[in-house]
Amino acid sequence: MEIKNFIEFKKERDLGAIITDTFKFIRENWKEYFLTVLKIVGPVLLVALTVLVFYMFSMSDLFTDIGGIQNNPGTFLGTLFSWVFGLIFVYILLYTLLSMASLYFIKSYITNNGKAVFSEIKTNILQNIWKFIGLGFLITLVTIVGMVFCYIPGIYLGTVLSLATSIMVFEEKSIGDTFSHAFTLIKGEWWNTFGVLIVVWMLLVILGQAFSIPAFIYQMIKMGTMVGSEDPTAVFSIFKDPIYLALNILSYVFQFVLYSIPLISTVFVYYDLNEQKNQTGTFEKIDSIGSDSSF
């Protein structure tokens, strides 16, 4: 039974419809969607925020110790890189889980005609997390290599592979098959896909920057009060300022939530291309009409 306000994913859409339906989906399902994301990602998000706070404290101590930097540059660089790699690992895990929670929520939503089932979502995530991490590593590696060659190959590959996670989730393909099918699916539609993604990401950047403004203003005011200080390293004490930390944490949480927008819009892009190439949704509707008429 299909619930009221069910949003049909399996149909063709233009740019305007994709963006409109992305926000419509969030508006209609925000409570269930974000509750699911919180249950799946919440513990890792807390770890990530804790690591971020400790990182800022560590950076404050590290950069204020001028003598230590001068006498032991190797130790300084080692500590800095250790923190950077630690942050990268935590945030890769965080955004991998967010992507999985979002996509498997939509898959359950479609399968159950508008009612996502948490147990189903959780089971899918546990069964496929390593495959997802492997795919994410491959996409990152290929895109970075592409970026090395004058950025254009990286942009091309990044656009193509933006469909990979949806292909893996909705078609249950292996990493290799997912990778190759992304190129097949986007053939002849690269510019349209790129147009949708650039508009969505520009919107995300604008909204994300808006949430960063309070922390930036506070930072400028705080640094202004330190001008003329006898201690040139005093400026780094801001990393321990509780208000600055709180504003940055809130900003990061809001930007983390906003990341759901491109994830959901990419699913609409995937189904738009899939419908153009395979007409899966059309055939399913025909089959359902045939099944209903048989009663």
Side-chain angles (χ1 to χ4, degrees):
M1 181 180 177
E2 190 174 292
I3 68 169
K4 186 180 179 181
N5 299 324
F6 175 74
I7 297 174
E8 178 59 65
F9 277 81
K10 300 178 182 180
K11 69 177 186 179
E12 294 184 38
R13 288 176 168 86
D14 58 20
L15 170 61
I18 288 173
I19 294 175
T20 299
D21 286 346
T22 296
F23 284 97
K24 182 180 179 182
F25 179 81
I26 294 173
R27 185 177 66 250
E28 297 288 348
N29 302 279
W30 68 270
K31 185 176 181 180
E32 294 82 4
Y33 173 80
F34 287 112
L35 185 60
T36 297
V37 168
L38 185 62
K39 287 179 180 179
I40 299 296
V41 186
V44 181
L45 178 59
L46 288 176
V47 171
L49 294 176
T50 302
V51 171
L52 179 63
V53 170
F54 278 107
Y55 166 76
M56 296 181 77
F57 269 75
S58 179
M59 289 304 100
S60 177
D61 294 336
L62 201 60
F63 283 102
T64 52
D65 184 12
I66 298 296
I69 296 174
Q70 293 175 341
N71 296 327
N72 299 289
T75 302
F76 167 77
L77 291 175
T79 303
L80 183 62
F81 283 120
S82 295
W83 273 109
V84 170
F85 284 120
L87 283 170
I88 290 173
F89 173 79
V90 171
Y91 289 110
I92 286 176
L93 178 59
L94 181 64
Y95 282 98
T96 297
L97 286 174
L98 175 60
S99 297
M100 295 185 76
S102 180
L103 295 178
Y104 280 117
F105 179 92
I106 295 173
K107 183 175 184 178
S108 183
Y109 172 92
I110 295 170
T111 302
N112 298 292
N113 297 313
K115 182 64 177 178
V117 180
F118 179 75
S119 59
E120 185 176 288
I121 298 166
K122 183 179 178 181
T123 298
N124 278 322
I125 290 174
L126 292 174
Q127 288 178 347
N128 296 287
I129 187 167
W130 290 111
K131 190 166 72 168
F132 228 88
I133 290 174
L135 178 65
F137 176 79
L138 181 61
I139 291 172
T140 301
L141 181 63
V142 169
T143 304
I144 289 175
V145 171
M147 284 293 184
V148 171
F149 297 97
C150 302
Y151 286 98
I152 293 176
I155 294 172
Y156 172 79
L157 292 169
T159 301
V160 174
L161 298 176
S162 66
L163 303 172
T165 50
S166 293
I167 292 170
M168 177 174 281
V169 168
F170 299 108
E171 299 188 27
E172 300 181 353
K173 293 182 178 294
S174 65
I175 294 176
D177 290 341
T178 293
F179 195 83
S180 61
H181 187 59
F183 288 88
T184 302
L185 190 62
I186 205 172
K187 186 176 181 180
E189 297 293 335
W190 188 91
W191 281 107
N192 291 334
T193 304
F194 177 74
V196 173
L197 294 178
I198 199 68
V199 170
V200 171
W201 278 103
M202 284 178 63
L203 179 62
L204 184 69
V205 169
I206 292 170
L207 292 174
Q209 290 300 313
F211 287 119
S212 300
I213 289 175
F216 176 75
I217 292 175
Y218 183 80
Q219 181 182 9
M220 291 298 100
I221 294 173
K222 192 73 175 178
M223 291 177 69
T225 62
M226 297 176 184
V227 174
S229 172
E230 295 181 0
D231 182 6
T233 65
V235 66
F236 295 110
S237 64
I238 193 173
F239 292 128
K240 289 185 176 181
D241 187 297
I243 298 176
Y244 180 72
L245 286 172
L247 290 173
N248 271 280
I249 289 172
L250 287 174
S251 172
Y252 180 78
V253 170
F254 280 123
Q255 291 181 54
F256 178 77
V257 170
L258 289 175
Y259 188 64
S260 293
I261 296 174
L263 287 173
I264 296 170
S265 65
T266 301
V267 177
F268 282 114
V269 172
Y270 160 76
Y271 273 114
D272 170 58
L273 296 178
N274 189 58
E275 194 62 26
Q276 290 182 49
K277 299 290 177 69
N278 305 313
Q279 296 185 324
T280 305
T282 302
F283 289 132
E284 287 182 0
K285 287 179 182 177
I286 293 172
D287 289 340
S288 66
I289 293 172
S291 298
D292 292 339
S293 63
S294 65
F295 285 99

